[in-house]
Structure formats: structure tokens, C-alpha cells
Amino acid sequence: MKAPSRARKRRDTRRRVWLDELVPANGDLASTKQLVQRLAGEGARLVVTSTDGSTNRQEVEVAHEALIRYWPRLLKWLDENRINLQLRETIRQAALDWEKQRKDENYLVHRGARLEDAQVLAKNTSFLNQSESYYVTACKELRDRHKNEKEARRRREIRTAWGVAGGAVVAFIVSLGFWIEALYEKEKAQKSQVEALKSQAEALSRYSLSLLDDNQDLDALVKAIKAANILKQENASQPFVMEALQKVVYGVRELNILTGHQEKVKSVIFSPNAQTLASASDDNTVKLWNVKDGKKLYTFQGHEKAVTSVVFSPDGQTLASASDDNTVKLWNVKDGKELHTFQGHKKAVTSVAFSPDGQTLASASDDNTVKLWNAKNGKKLHTLIGHEKAVTSVVFSPDGQTLASASDDNTARLWDVQDGKEMHTFKGNQRKFNIAVFSPDSKTLAFADDTTVKVWDVKNGNELHTLIGHEKAVTSVVFSPDGQTLATASDDNTARLWNVKDGKQRETFTKHQDNVKSVIFSPDGKTLVSTSDDKTVKLWDLNGKELLTFKGGEFGFNSVVFSHNSQTLATASDDKTVKLWDLKGKELLTFKAHEKKLISVVFSPDGETLATASDDNTAKLWDLKGNERQTFTGHNGRVTSIVFSPDGKTLATASNDKTAKLWDLNGNKRQTFTGHNGRVTSIVFSPDGQTLATASDDKTAKLWDLKGNERQTFTGHNGRVTSIVFSPDGQTLATASDDKTAKLWDLNGNELQTFTAHKKKLTSAVFSPDGKTLATASDDTTAKLWALNGNELYTFEGHHNVVIDVVFSPDGKTLATASYDRTIKLWDVKDRKEGQTLTGHKSSLASVVFSPDSKTLASASYNNTIILWDLDQLALDPLLNSACNWARNYLAYNHDISKDDKYLCDRIGTTQ
């Protein structure tokens, strides 16, 4: 069936769901299960089923993405129901959150226009499942209850007014009330319109994150831009939309999608200057692309069958292509014209290679021969005869003196380029050879032999090593740029590194779920890329750590190649596309600190330096580029807390070794404070810098002068004291404790106030810069704002795990909370609303702090990572600018982009 043109413009994708998620609101599990079995059975096979081993729940998935892309009836339904499907996704996510939070009504987030839309959708029983329907009903019941309570209040107020004043006065009041009610209804309608648009933006954002998770990065970016544009046009705020935009902007790796081929793309290669890219396809063509913007430069037409291999000449001026039509063609890169056709092979040409000087072409063929050609005039130089079966690959030695060929006849052969004579034959044991590769110095040859790799001396033909370790056939072999290491790929689902000198295995890469079919080194030799039948490409460091994974959807990847600067990957796929991937993306300023967990981070008073405390018993100083400036050693346990003196000249640290220490910035210890009977958990300077306060597991806090003399002990908590802080005027102390309370104290040790409302232990406490309020963080996943008389002012809810730290910005406008859920949330102190969620850490947060100018946030996580967040760049306009600057070329030159989307970023960001 020929795909409709609109099918090529969509990027809908399948998703695995639980069977019980498919039970409609008025349906039952048995009927649904019976229907799924019919759809999965012989003669249908529209869906596939499986059982999750960890939960024993049955899963259902669309059998092939081709159904989503090419079934006209389904395509029409998707188009007609696009908005409903996006709305249903927001309901699905909200219902899951509601269930997860034990049906807490605070998680009934569909209200106003969003709820009205959800109710309309719920009337169509085919859209919502039972759980989602229950959720919508609960939202409606909550709305009705609030409406009834409001109406009851209004009636009470009217009755009260009639009882207090005369009839005329009351009539005026009632009339005025109706006028106010009319204004209120008008404002309500306007707000409903805005809420509906915000709901649409949220649906787009959820869809965007789903696409990002599936590595459809550019399509995710487009959806995020659309959502952000809604906020911008309405001058509205929506924390989830901002969170999604930030995730996509800093998570996108897909640089461009090059479309135009009509069949599978088999091979892709960068030009020597990395400015152009060539792709070979089963559609009988080669295409040349501008790498910078993705614009197609030329289509080379002339082959009569599929193009199997393509290669640039060393000077980048010409391109050679091999084809199943038994020919090799040479093309002029500058004007796209054919220069020569090399005819002589009697069967398909499988591989083509230029000599290092660009003067000679070698071609391998299914006709069992290799041919050498003059690349300038197209004349045949030699026919290399000796193989008894198809020759699968051919490669020149880096010095250009020899040629290696691999064949299905279970041999690799070495040939003299000058006279075409065979120099050596290397025989395998069991299987055909599909690849042979030279070391960079031309002295060594390696090729795969079933489950092993043979390494041979080129000069004398002697075997140097047999690399044994793979359990199934080796599919790919490559030398590192320095020639010291070999990488191999295998059908045993692994890639491996080997030491060339002694043949010993160095590392095994084990994250693939299916055959690994190729492996390549980056030109700088620092990373490795593997391609697998599990439809992924993985990027690794040479210690076996997985750095990135790119998903290929239903079609996977056929070919992958690095750019010469090692920063970009190009992939070719059966989906008829070439994709460019940026391996760095838009990076947050991130650096690794310490050998063990980070516990605390703090800015110096001048904002130029960071200090960190760690599980490795040390503290360190860093500049803001991540360069280590000083290490402080002397504690015999975890350093739990660190703080600069107000003048920035000294540091104080607290430790699990039951002591606190004072240091100069050169790492010299000036004083040790001993007296606590348990681990010291927190330390702080008084605003005048003359006093230190400490908190401890021994349930006490203490005051000290800088000579180490204990001045006061504060007792009253019933659990370990986790945090201590001075008020801005230095007259009061606040402590937080495992006993679920915070307390205020005067400096004489008298308890002034106790704050009780948290449901679990407290982790942190901090005064607002004006000293009028206190904020606390807790294991109960919330932060709270308090008046100093003990009254709770507000509870900040939104985190899904322990809130480990809370801090005010120095200007007092923003509160930041850090959580074990790996996020930081920024809250508007005045409006008490969530402003933004910052995502980027890969582990639980440990600490967060503002720079003195409130423009930068530093966060530390338990995987030894510090991120510096430029808050100005995380606002809506800068993020939207970044998104558009990244997507601009894709929007401009991709043939599958809709007309409306092409202009999505006009007047946004920097014009390129």
C-alpha cells in the first residue's frame, strides 16, 4: 500500500499500555481482554501482547508503527481527534498522579474550562478508561461542592444584610451585588478562555515530553515552542509548560532531519571538511546535503539500482558511489555532475574506497573480484583475482601501499597496489569475513573470524593475536585513532575493547538488548559509538559508561558516522531519513566535584567562589568554571555543612566526627570546636562574623566564639537537630529537627516559639532576608512559610519526594526548594505560586543556594554533580529563543514540516 503524503508528515508513535488501561468507562475487563485477543490473533495481528515480569500485568502495544503511519482510516481518526487525544493525555497523567497520591483532592487539577472540556470528553465512553472517568467525576464533585459552599455563603451574607439595614439600603446592596456578580461572570469567562489556552499548552507540553523520551527531539521542540507561544501571547504562566520547555531545550540532541530519499538510506558519510554530507539509498540515488542548515544541495541520479556505498575523495572534491547495477560512478561535488562511470564488474558492487592520495579507486563485487581504477580518467588499472566468493569490503592501508579485501570465501587477502599482486592470504576457521581493517600505522591488519578477531602482521603475514571473548559472531572491528586499541561488535549483544599490544580484553559494553552490528571510534579517540538491532545507537566513554542513547523507532539505524570534530553524529535509517545529532546539546554549566557524595554547596559573599562539603571527609573551593582552587583536609568523617564568614576570608565546616573546624582560604586549619556528643549536622556564622552556631545529632545546638569556646547550649528538641540559622539581625536563632518541629531561640538559650505542622522530620530552616518570616523543608515533601509568631502562612506543595533544602533569594522575591525527586522548584514568595521547576540532575538533590546577586543558583546532587543555573536564561523568552534557534533550519528546510509550522519561529530568537 502506498503511503498517503500526509503520513510522511506525521511523527505519531506507538506506546505500550497496561491491559486494564484499555477498559472503557462503562466496560469490563473480560470483554476488553476478549477484544484484544481477537486483534492480536491470526488474521489480524494489529496489536501484540506481553506480560511484565516484575508486575505480572498484561501489556498491549500496536504491532507495527507502519499502522500508525500508513493506515488511512486510522490516520483520519487521529487527525479528527488530535485535540481530544491531547486532552485525554493530560487527564491520563493527572489521574495517575491522583491515584498515586491516594486520591488527595489537591491533585484534582482539572478545573474551570479544562474540567468542562474533560466532561465533554467523558461523555464519549470510548475515550476515557475507568480510572480516568473516576478522576473526572471526582473533579466535578469537588467543583460542585465548592460552588454550593460559595452559594451558601452568598445567601448568608444577603440574609445578614437584610437583618442589619433598612429595606432600601439592602436593596441597593443587593443590586450592587448583582452588578458585581455580572462583572465577576465576565472576568470568569475571560479567565476560562485563558485557562482553556493554558490547558492546550499543557497538552502540547505533555506530548512534547513524550516525543523527547522517544528521541523525536525536533518534533518535541516544535510542540514545546507552540506551547510556549501560547503563554507568551496570553502573558500567562504555567509551571508545567516552563518545565517541559526547559527539559526539551536542554535535552534536545537531534540537530536536523534530512528528508528526500524515497527508499531506505543505507550509508552516510561526512566530507573531509565536514561541511557537507552524502547519503546513499535504495532509491538508486546519492544526495548531498549542507550540514549547517540541512539544505539539500544535489541529487546524483544515474544508477539503475540501489546504491550500496558512497565515499568522498580525500580532497573532498569528488564523490564515488557503488551500486547493485554493477557500476561505480564518480561525481563532481561542486556542480553535482557525473564525471565517470566505471564498468567492468559482472555483479553488484558492494564496497568502494579511495586511496589516501585520491589517485586510485578500489571496488569490491559479488563477482568475487576487486578492481583498481584511475580516479582521474576512469581507466581500469588491475583486476584482483583470487577470492572464490563475493567480496564484501575493501580498504586501503593508510600509507596507500597495500589493499585488504574480505570475502564470503572465509578469507581476507592483502594486495600490492602497484602491481595488483596478492601478498598474503589470511584464512578463517568457520565463517565468511565481512570486514578487514588496517591499523593507523599500516603495520597491522585485523578481521573478524566467527566469534574471534585475528590480528596479523602486514609485512610478513604472521598472526599476532587471536582475541577471544565474544560468545557469538563478531560483526565489526575498528582500530582506535592512536592504534593502541581495537573495538569489536558482536551478535552476543556486546561491544568490547582490546589492547592491541597484548591482545587482552580491556572493557565490555553490555547495555544493548540485541545484536550489535557496528562500532566506531570518535576521531578524537575519546568515545565509542555502537549500533544495534535493538534499534538504538549508544555513545560510550572508554571505561564502559553509557553517555547517550538514540532510539531509532520501528526502523532502527543502518549506518552511523562521526563528524571530524567528534561533536556530531549522522545516522541513516530504513525510515528514508538521515539524522544529525549534536552530542553536547545546549549544556547547563555542570561539573563534577569530590570522589563521594556532595552534601552541601555555598557561594562566597562576593559570588566568585563556591565551597563544597562531601562524604569524602573533605571540603573544597571552586571557581565558577568548575576549576578546583583548594582542598581542606582534617575531618575524620563526612563533612556535613560548610559556610563562609560574612567577610569571605574564612570557612567553617561541620562533620560527622562530632567537630566543627575553622579554616583560612589557603586550607590552613585555624580552630577546632569540640563539645557535641553526636555528629555535627549544620554550621552558620552570625551576621557580624564573631560567633558560630552548630546543630547536632545529640539533639542540641551550640553557640561558640571563634576561639573555640562554647558560649551557649540550646536544648529542647526531641530528635536530632538538622539545621540552624541566624536571623538577619543576629538576635535570634532558628533550628529544625527530626522531631517534626522548628524552634526560635534568643541567644541566651531561651525558647521563643515552636513551629508544628509538618508531618515528618524537618531537613532545613531559613529566615527571609527581611527577618519577618521563616521557611522550613521536610521529609513530608513540602516546604512551609511561617510568621515568627508560629502561624503557618503557606504550604508549598509539588515535590514528590523529600525536600532536603530550602533557601530565599537575597532579594527575598523567590524561594528555592531542592528535593530527592531530582528537581529544584522556584516559588514566587509574594504570590505564593510555583514559578518554575528546574530539571537536569540525574540523582537526588543535596543542597541549593543563590548567588549574592540572586541571578545564579548552584545545586549539588548525590552523584557528585554541581549545576550552575543562569536564572535569566531560564525565563520564557530566553528559552523560547534558544528553542527557535535550534529548530530554525529544521523548520526552514525539512520537506515534511507543515506550512504553518515553517513560520513558527518568525521574529523569535536570532535570525540565521
Side-chain angles (χ1 to χ4, degrees):
M1 171 169 42
K2 185 177 180 180
S5 61
R6 68 179 183 273
R8 293 194 296 271
K9 296 180 180 179
R10 65 173 64 253
R11 301 291 299 285
D12 294 306
T13 187
R14 56 183 175 164
R15 184 184 66 195
R16 188 174 299 166
V17 297
W18 305 119
L19 174 63
D20 50 38
E21 282 190 75
L22 300 177
V23 179
N26 297 324
D28 61 87
L29 181 60
S31 298
T32 302
K33 189 171 184 179
Q34 184 179 12
L35 175 59
V36 167
Q37 288 172 344
R38 287 174 57 194
L39 293 175
E42 290 290 336
R45 293 187 177 177
L46 297 177
V47 299
V48 292
T49 61
S50 58
T51 301
D52 188 308
S54 60
T55 63
N56 208 31
R57 293 172 72 185
Q58 191 169 356
E59 302 170 320
V60 184
E61 184 178 15
V62 173
H64 300 285
E65 286 201 12
L67 292 172
I68 302 173
R69 299 190 182 193
Y70 305 126
W71 188 6
R73 186 174 180 182
L74 178 58
L75 294 177
K76 182 180 178 182
W77 184 84
L78 288 171
D79 285 337
E80 291 173 348
N81 293 279
R82 180 72 55 192
I83 299 299
N84 285 338
L85 290 169
Q86 292 174 350
L87 174 60
R88 193 258 178 178
E89 180 62 19
T90 71
I91 296 171
R92 175 181 174 272
Q93 292 294 334
L96 290 173
D97 291 342
W98 180 57
E99 293 279 358
K100 190 183 298 181
Q101 299 300 326
R102 299 182 181 179
K103 299 186 177 180
D104 184 338
E105 69 177 27
N106 288 319
Y107 287 82
L108 297 172
V109 297
H110 279 71
R111 303 180 186 187
R114 296 176 67 198
L115 177 55
E116 292 173 7
D117 292 341
Q119 286 182 268
V120 171
L121 193 64
K123 290 179 181 178
N124 187 339
T125 56
S126 65
F127 267 102
L128 302 187
N129 62 31
Q130 291 178 345
S131 175
E132 293 158 355
S133 180
Y134 294 154
Y135 166 79
V136 173
T137 300
C139 288
K140 177 182 178 297
E141 291 173 349
L142 178 65
R143 180 200 63 188
D144 292 346
R145 190 173 81 241
H146 286 175
K147 184 177 180 180
N148 292 337
E149 290 172 352
K150 178 182 176 183
E151 180 63 22
R153 280 198 307 272
R154 191 175 75 85
R155 289 175 178 173
R156 285 197 301 271
E157 290 168 357
I158 291 173
R159 286 197 299 270
T160 301
W162 277 103
V164 172
V169 175
V170 173
F172 170 74
I173 293 172
V174 172
S175 298
L176 181 63
F178 285 132
W179 178 75
I180 293 172
E181 186 75 14
L183 284 179
Y184 169 75
E185 290 299 326
K186 183 179 180 181
E187 291 178 0
K188 182 180 176 183
Q190 292 173 339
K191 287 181 179 178
S192 293
Q193 183 179 2
V194 173
E195 286 301 315
L197 289 170
K198 287 169 67 175
S199 177
Q200 181 184 354
E202 182 180 339
L204 285 167
S205 295
R206 291 191 184 279
Y207 187 30
S208 171
L209 292 179
S210 176
L211 290 169
L212 183 68
D213 185 58
D214 205 39
N215 266 150
Q216 298 182 46
D217 297 6
L218 286 167
D219 286 345
L221 203 58
V222 170
K223 297 296 184 290
I225 291 169
K226 287 182 176 180
N229 275 337
I230 292 173
L231 295 191
K232 188 176 177 69
Q233 290 163 9
E234 298 299 321
N235 194 25
S237 62
Q238 218 290 356
F240 182 78
V241 173
M242 291 298 296
E243 178 184 354
L245 181 61
Q246 184 238 318
K247 274 186 178 179
V248 175
V249 166
Y250 284 94
V252 63
R253 293 291 184 274
E254 198 175 41
L255 266 177
N256 217 329
I257 303 173
L258 313 182
T259 57
H261 281 296
Q262 301 304 307
E263 296 293 342
K264 301 173 182 178
V265 184
K266 289 296 186 64
S267 180
V268 65
I269 189 169
F270 281 98
S271 63
N273 64 8
Q275 293 181 9
T276 55
L277 188 78
S279 56
S281 170
D282 279 0
D283 65 6
N284 308 352
T285 72
V286 174
K287 293 184 184 292
L288 196 66
W289 313 84
N290 185 311
V291 171
K292 184 177 181 181
D293 57 23
K295 186 177 181 181
K296 184 177 67 178
L297 300 175
Y298 299 109
T299 297
F300 302 112
Q301 294 176 310
H303 284 295
E304 297 177 0
K305 292 185 179 180
V307 183
T308 56
S309 179
V310 64
V311 63
F312 279 96
S313 61
D315 63 7
Q317 300 302 304
T318 55
L319 192 73
S321 57
S323 170
D324 282 348
D325 66 7
N326 307 352
T327 70
V328 174
K329 290 183 181 289
L330 199 64
W331 312 86
N332 188 319
V333 170
K334 288 185 177 181
D335 59 17
K337 292 182 178 179
E338 181 180 329
L339 297 174
H340 299 292
T341 296
F342 301 87
Q343 295 177 316
H345 284 295
K346 297 177 181 179
K347 292 185 179 180
V349 184
T350 57
S351 179
V352 65
F354 273 100
S355 61
D357 62 8
Q359 301 300 307
T360 308
L361 263 178
S363 57
S365 171
D366 281 350
D367 66 7
N368 307 353
T369 71
V370 174
K371 292 185 184 292
L372 297 180
W373 313 82
N374 185 308
K376 300 302 179 184
N377 58 28
K379 291 183 178 180
K380 184 174 64 177
L381 301 175
H382 302 289
T383 297
L384 312 183
I385 300 174
H387 285 295
E388 297 175 1
K389 291 185 179 180
V391 185
T392 54
S393 73
V394 65
V395 61
F396 281 94
S397 62
D399 64 11
Q401 300 301 306
T402 53
L403 188 79
S405 57
S407 169
D408 286 350
D409 67 5
N410 203 26
T411 70
R413 295 174 190 263
L414 203 61
W415 313 84
D416 187 297
V417 172
Q418 292 299 316
D419 58 20
K421 292 183 178 179
E422 183 178 327
M423 297 169 59
H424 301 292
T425 298
F426 308 97
K427 293 185 178 180
N429 293 322
Q430 300 177 48
R431 288 173 59 96
K432 61 186 181 182
F433 293 151
N434 56 9
I435 192 168
V437 60
F438 281 99
S439 62
D441 63 7
S442 304
K443 294 180 180 180
T444 309
L445 186 72
F447 55 83
D449 181 15
D450 195 34
T451 62
T452 70
V453 174
K454 303 284 189 181
V455 182
W456 302 81
D457 186 294
V458 170
K459 187 175 182 179
N460 56 32
N462 293 329
E463 182 180 330
L464 300 176
H465 305 294
T466 298
L467 311 183
I468 300 173
H470 283 294
E471 297 174 3
K472 292 185 179 180
V474 178
T475 55
S476 179
V477 182
V478 64
F479 278 94
S480 61
D482 64 7
Q484 302 301 305
T485 307
L486 263 176
T488 56
S490 169
D491 283 348
D492 67 6
N493 302 0
T494 72
R496 298 174 193 246
L497 290 184
W498 311 80
N499 190 311
V500 172
K501 189 175 182 179
D502 58 18
K504 292 183 178 179
Q505 184 174 314
R506 279 181 46 187
E507 197 64 58
T508 302
F509 305 84
T510 59
K511 296 289 184 69
H512 280 297
Q513 304 302 310
D514 207 335
N515 304 337
V516 184
K517 54 188 182 182
S518 73
V519 64
I520 59 170
F521 280 97
S522 59
D524 63 13
K526 295 180 179 179
T527 52
L528 194 73
V529 162
S530 55
T531 308
S532 170
D533 284 340
D534 65 10
K535 301 176 184 177
T536 69
V537 165
K538 291 184 182 290
L539 186 73
W540 315 80
D541 69 19
L542 301 191
N543 294 316
K545 181 182 178 182
E546 182 182 345
L547 303 176
L548 287 171
T549 295
F550 301 120
K551 301 174 185 176
E554 180 183 2
F555 297 100
F557 301 101
N558 291 323
S559 176
V560 61
V561 63
F562 272 101
S563 64
H564 298 287
N565 65 3
S566 301
Q567 300 303 310
T568 306
L569 272 183
T571 57
S573 172
D574 280 0
D575 68 2
K576 309 174 189 177
T577 70
V578 174
K579 292 185 179 182
L580 295 176
W581 307 85
D582 187 309
L583 300 184
K584 283 192 172 181
K586 183 176 174 62
E587 292 183 299
L588 294 163
L589 181 51
T590 304
F591 60 93
K592 289 286 186 178
H594 296 279
E595 297 300 320
K596 294 185 178 180
K597 283 183 183 178
L598 274 168
I599 305 300
S600 181
V601 61
V602 64
F603 273 100
S604 60
D606 63 7
E608 298 297 322
T609 307
L610 282 173
T612 56
S614 169
D615 250 6
D616 64 8
N617 302 357
T618 71
K620 291 179 184 287
L621 290 184
W622 312 83
D623 65 24
L624 300 190
K625 293 182 179 180
N627 300 310
E628 185 178 328
R629 302 280 295 276
Q630 188 61 251
T631 298
F632 302 83
T633 58
H635 281 295
N636 295 316
R638 165 195 286 185
V639 183
T640 55
S641 181
I642 190 166
V643 63
F644 279 96
S645 60
D647 63 10
K649 295 180 179 179
T650 54
L651 269 177
T653 55
S655 172
N656 279 358
D657 65 9
K658 303 180 184 179
T659 72
K661 293 182 184 292
L662 199 63
W663 316 77
D664 65 27
L665 300 191
N666 294 319
N668 300 311
K669 183 171 61 179
R670 292 176 51 180
Q671 190 61 252
T672 298
F673 302 81
T674 58
H676 280 295
N677 295 318
R679 296 176 293 185
V680 185
T681 57
S682 181
I683 191 166
V684 63
F685 275 98
S686 60
D688 64 8
Q690 300 304 305
T691 308
L692 275 173
T694 55
S696 172
D697 278 359
D698 65 9
K699 304 180 184 179
T700 72
K702 292 181 183 289
L703 280 185
W704 315 79
D705 64 26
L706 300 190
K707 295 181 179 179
N709 299 311
E710 183 180 328
R711 300 277 298 277
Q712 189 61 254
T713 298
F714 302 81
T715 58
H717 280 295
N718 296 317
R720 72 185 191 106
V721 185
T722 56
S723 179
I724 190 166
V725 63
F726 275 98
S727 60
D729 64 8
Q731 300 303 304
T732 311
L733 276 172
T735 53
S737 171
D738 276 1
D739 64 10
K740 306 178 187 177
T741 72
K743 292 181 183 289
L744 288 187
W745 315 79
D746 67 22
L747 301 190
N748 295 317
N750 300 310
E751 184 179 324
L752 304 176
Q753 189 61 254
T754 298
F755 304 83
T756 57
H758 280 294
K759 299 176 182 178
K760 293 184 179 181
K761 64 184 181 182
L762 273 64
T763 56
S764 181
V766 62
F767 280 99
S768 59
D770 63 8
K772 295 180 180 180
T773 54
L774 188 76
T776 55
S778 169
D779 274 11
D780 66 10
T781 75
T782 72
K784 291 182 182 290
L785 193 66
W786 311 82
L788 299 190
N789 62 7
N791 291 332
E792 181 184 338
L793 301 176
Y794 193 74
T795 298
F796 299 95
E797 297 178 300
H799 284 295
H800 302 296
N801 208 327
V802 171
V803 182
I804 192 64
D805 202 7
V806 61
V807 62
F808 280 96
S809 60
D811 61 15
K813 296 179 180 180
T814 307
L815 194 73
T817 52
S819 171
Y820 282 2
D821 66 11
R822 305 182 182 184
T823 70
I824 299 156
K825 290 185 181 288
L826 301 180
W827 312 84
D828 187 296
V829 173
K830 184 178 179 180
D831 296 336
R832 316 262 169 91
K833 292 182 178 179
E834 181 183 338
Q836 200 164 354
T837 298
L838 307 183
T839 60
H841 280 288
K842 307 299 183 185
S843 181
S844 298
L845 271 294
S847 179
V848 65
V849 63
F850 280 96
S851 62
D853 62 6
S854 301
K855 293 184 177 181
T856 306
L857 197 72
S859 55
S861 62
Y862 285 150
N863 68 342
N864 314 343
T865 301
I866 290 175
I867 295 179
L868 293 179
W869 310 82
D870 184 337
L871 298 182
D872 288 341
Q873 292 301 310
L874 295 174
L876 177 60
D877 283 343
L879 283 175
L880 190 52
N881 290 346
S882 294
C884 280
N885 288 339
W886 188 284
R888 196 175 310 280
N889 290 324
Y890 171 64
L891 296 175
Y893 296 112
N894 188 282
H895 297 297
D896 292 345
I897 293 294
S898 69
K899 185 176 180 181
D900 291 340
D901 286 353
K902 279 191 178 296
Y903 306 103
L904 190 61
C905 284
D906 283 7
R907 297 180 297 280
I908 301 175
T910 304
T911 302
Q912 295 182 347

